[in-house]
Amino acid sequence: MQRVLLVDDEEELRRSTAQALELAGLSVQTLSSGDQLLELIGYSFDGVVVSDIRMPGLDGMTLLHRVRELDPEIPVILVTGHGDVQLAVKAMRDGAYDFIEKPFTTPHLAGVIRRAIDRRGLVLENRRLRAVAGKRDDLETRLPGRTQVMVDLRYQIRAIGAADADTLIIGDTGAGKEVVARALHDVSPRANKPFIAINCAALPETLIESELFGHEAGAFPGALRPRYGKFEHGRGGTILLDEIGSMPFDLQAKFLRVLQERVITRLGSNETVGLDVRFIATSKVDLEAEVVAGRFRADLFYRLNVATIRVPSLAQRRPDIPLLFLQLVREACARYGRDDMDVPQEVVASVAQRDWPGNVRELRNAADRLVLGLDMRPGDGGALVKPESGRLADRVSAFERNILASAIAAHGGALKPVYEQLGISRKTLYEKMQKYGLDKKLLLPDALGELEE
């Protein structure tokens, strides 16, 4: 049954609204904060979100933007007070499905929710049909690219995701390790359960065990009431241990026991608690080298290393850069409420030519700056330009190749407008494509067939 996730910090209102909706035949799960919501949704989420706008911490507007980052087609319905109507109208422009003004009637809210559920069902069904027909599926939308390393990466995710095995993800900073982890969760049988991301480098040393394992009342000064830890909070779902190489050495032994026995013991308790979770760990460093250096336990490394996925850097998938950049620009336009823009070919060529040590994260930042009108022209001191070294002939060839690649991508693989725009003959274009090893199928977001030229 499709779910309604109801987010409101006021307990009485949250409970009464949920009861009214359940009497109307809807399945409702209540949450007191937006942070809890983000652990339960992803590309496979088959329900809708109903959230109050005015909440402490993560408010409804911020929550809307966070949900759209995970999947822009999840319907978000915002509940507003009288003074929030202008804010709600802005939310509609930012992608909210609808807004309901207080006080509202249950039939009105239930009707909006049912229409949103129908729409979400159509979106998911369309995605399934596209996957069956060989079109881009959810995974290819989230991890785009036609280079072989990206094709292999998506194959690994589909295979390992369904296997429910603990997984180690290795990759450079900004390459997309957390995106891969979320994709593994979303293609697994645990997709509708919590996804808990834990940054091992940011855990407070004095409270690290309490954060992970939880505690009983009186376990330490200030522990006035019992508390679930993050491991227990993720029961039935997936726990992401981001940058596990930063986990303190003494804690690694305790975590190894959790991995092996799937039980935890809260601080201040002698009772064990069973743990049904899948662990995914990420690392930007070579853990084998950390083992040799004595900074990471060998037994923990081998226990985690049941399945390993290596996320390629942009340097390893350079032909994907022009198309990936254009997709990030489209996403930035939607995120900032801007109209779709035509990216100048010289900008795309400059993007394709330079190195990206920050990988996709750095490339996304460049796309955001372009949409916002910052650093958008090559040659004006902007961040998109990187002077090249080497022989003049090599530099000219690299620039010509990038111009051709970006033009083919911009025209969706149709070659006629490319050679007309560039003022060259069809034969010349074919010869240059052969010279530079350009395959138009690798420059397209979809596996296109033969196109009219």
Side-chain angles (χ1 to χ4, degrees):
M1 180 181 293
Q2 296 93 343
R3 291 184 296 162
V4 179
L5 298 184
L6 175 64
V7 188
D8 198 310
D9 62 307
E10 296 183 25
E11 184 176 357
E12 292 298 325
L13 183 58
R14 187 170 67 241
R15 183 185 298 118
S16 61
T17 303
Q19 289 175 348
L21 291 175
E22 287 172 348
L23 289 173
L26 295 167
S27 174
V28 183
Q29 181 175 351
T30 60
L31 306 165
S32 60
S33 73
D35 290 321
Q36 294 175 324
L37 171 80
L38 296 174
E39 296 166 357
L40 297 174
I41 62 174
Y43 253 65
S44 60
F45 174 62
D46 61 352
V48 303
V49 174
V50 180
S51 174
D52 192 17
I53 283 189
R54 301 288 182 182
M55 294 186 296
L58 199 64
D59 61 42
M61 292 293 290
T62 306
L63 182 61
L64 168 66
H65 296 145
R66 295 283 297 276
V67 170
R68 286 181 59 78
E69 287 175 0
L70 293 174
D71 183 350
E73 293 184 289
I74 292 177
V76 178
I77 301 167
L78 295 175
V79 179
T80 73
H82 179 71
D84 295 330
V85 172
Q86 287 187 337
L87 192 61
V89 172
K90 179 182 183 301
M92 292 287 289
R93 291 197 297 266
D94 290 350
Y97 178 79
D98 205 342
F99 69 90
I100 306 293
E101 188 176 357
K102 298 176 182 177
F104 52 81
T105 65
T106 300
H108 178 47
L109 177 58
V112 174
I113 290 174
R114 286 195 178 93
R115 289 193 294 273
I117 286 175
D118 289 342
R119 174 175 169 179
R120 181 62 176 170
L122 290 173
V123 167
L124 296 179
E125 180 63 20
N126 184 55
R127 289 177 179 175
R128 284 190 289 268
L129 292 174
R130 286 175 62 82
V132 171
K135 301 292 186 180
R136 289 185 85 192
D137 60 7
D138 296 342
L139 197 52
E140 192 168 351
T141 300
R142 300 160 78 175
L143 293 163
R146 287 290 174 178
T147 50
Q148 190 60 47
V149 289
M150 291 305 294
V151 173
D152 293 344
L153 175 63
R154 292 191 294 267
Y155 175 82
Q156 282 184 295
I157 291 172
R158 292 186 180 98
I160 296 173
D164 203 38
D166 293 335
T167 306
L168 179 61
I169 302 174
I170 306 293
D172 293 343
T173 297
K177 297 187 293 295
E178 185 168 346
V179 176
V180 171
R182 280 191 173 271
L184 282 169
H185 172 74
D186 288 342
V187 301
S188 76
R190 302 178 182 270
N192 288 323
K193 298 296 183 179
F195 178 88
I196 309 294
I198 301 170
N199 186 344
C200 294
L203 288 170
E205 281 193 39
T206 56
L207 296 174
I208 190 168
E209 289 189 53
S210 173
E211 285 288 317
L212 297 182
F213 301 110
H215 62 253
E216 299 290 350
F220 52 85
L224 302 179
R225 58 180 61 88
R227 179 180 182 272
Y228 280 173
K230 290 186 179 294
F231 286 169
E232 201 169 349
H233 184 55
R235 284 181 299 186
T238 301
I239 303 287
L240 168 62
L241 296 165
D242 194 21
E243 297 304 339
I244 194 170
S246 302
M247 180 177 284
F249 197 83
D250 58 345
L251 184 63
Q252 292 176 22
K254 298 179 181 179
F255 177 56
L256 176 63
R257 178 173 179 265
V258 175
L259 271 177
Q260 291 174 332
E261 301 180 18
R262 288 306 200 264
V263 296
I264 60 170
T265 303
R266 299 180 192 140
L267 290 179
S269 172
N270 294 319
E271 301 293 327
T272 59
V273 179
L275 199 62
D276 173 26
V277 298
R278 177 188 195 175
F279 285 103
I280 298 176
T282 70
S283 178
K284 64 185 176 185
V285 299
D286 183 353
L287 290 183
E288 287 190 82
E290 293 294 287
V291 169
V292 172
R295 291 187 291 266
F296 199 81
R297 292 180 61 100
D299 48 4
L300 177 56
F301 170 68
Y302 293 119
R303 182 63 185 80
L304 271 175
N305 200 23
V306 175
T308 301
I309 294 178
R310 297 189 177 273
V311 183
S313 65
L314 283 184
Q316 295 172 294
R317 45 183 297 219
R318 186 169 288 276
D320 288 336
I321 292 177
L323 207 62
L324 178 58
F325 181 70
L326 294 175
Q327 175 172 318
L328 293 172
V329 168
R330 288 193 297 271
E331 292 175 359
C333 288
R335 189 163 58 251
Y336 294 117
R338 306 291 179 89
D339 293 333
D340 287 343
M341 63 183 300
D342 292 326
V343 182
Q345 289 187 16
E346 63 269 24
V347 172
V348 179
S350 177
V351 166
Q353 193 174 13
R354 62 162 291 186
D355 295 327
W356 297 95
N359 291 292
V360 180
R361 183 179 298 139
E362 185 184 1
L363 189 64
R364 179 180 289 108
N365 290 340
D368 285 1
R369 291 195 298 270
L370 176 66
V371 171
L372 294 173
L374 307 172
D375 298 338
M376 68 177 294
R377 295 290 177 186
D380 67 353
L384 295 180
V385 180
K386 174 182 178 296
E388 293 292 334
S389 59
R391 296 189 312 125
L392 177 62
D394 294 336
R395 293 165 64 183
V396 170
S397 294
F399 185 77
E400 184 177 50
R401 184 188 188 281
N402 289 326
I403 287 288
L404 293 171
S406 60
I408 294 169
H411 290 290
L415 300 184
K416 182 176 181 181
V418 174
Y419 59 72
E420 288 181 345
Q421 179 183 4
L422 297 180
I424 59 178
S425 68
R426 180 170 61 180
K427 180 182 178 183
T428 299
L429 176 60
Y430 287 161
E431 289 174 346
K432 290 183 179 296
M433 288 176 64
Q434 185 174 11
K435 173 184 175 182
Y436 296 124
L438 293 174
D439 183 347
K440 68 181 182 181
K441 292 182 179 179
L442 291 179
L443 300 170
L444 299 177
D446 295 309
L448 299 177
E450 293 297 320
L451 298 173
E452 287 190 26
E453 297 170 5

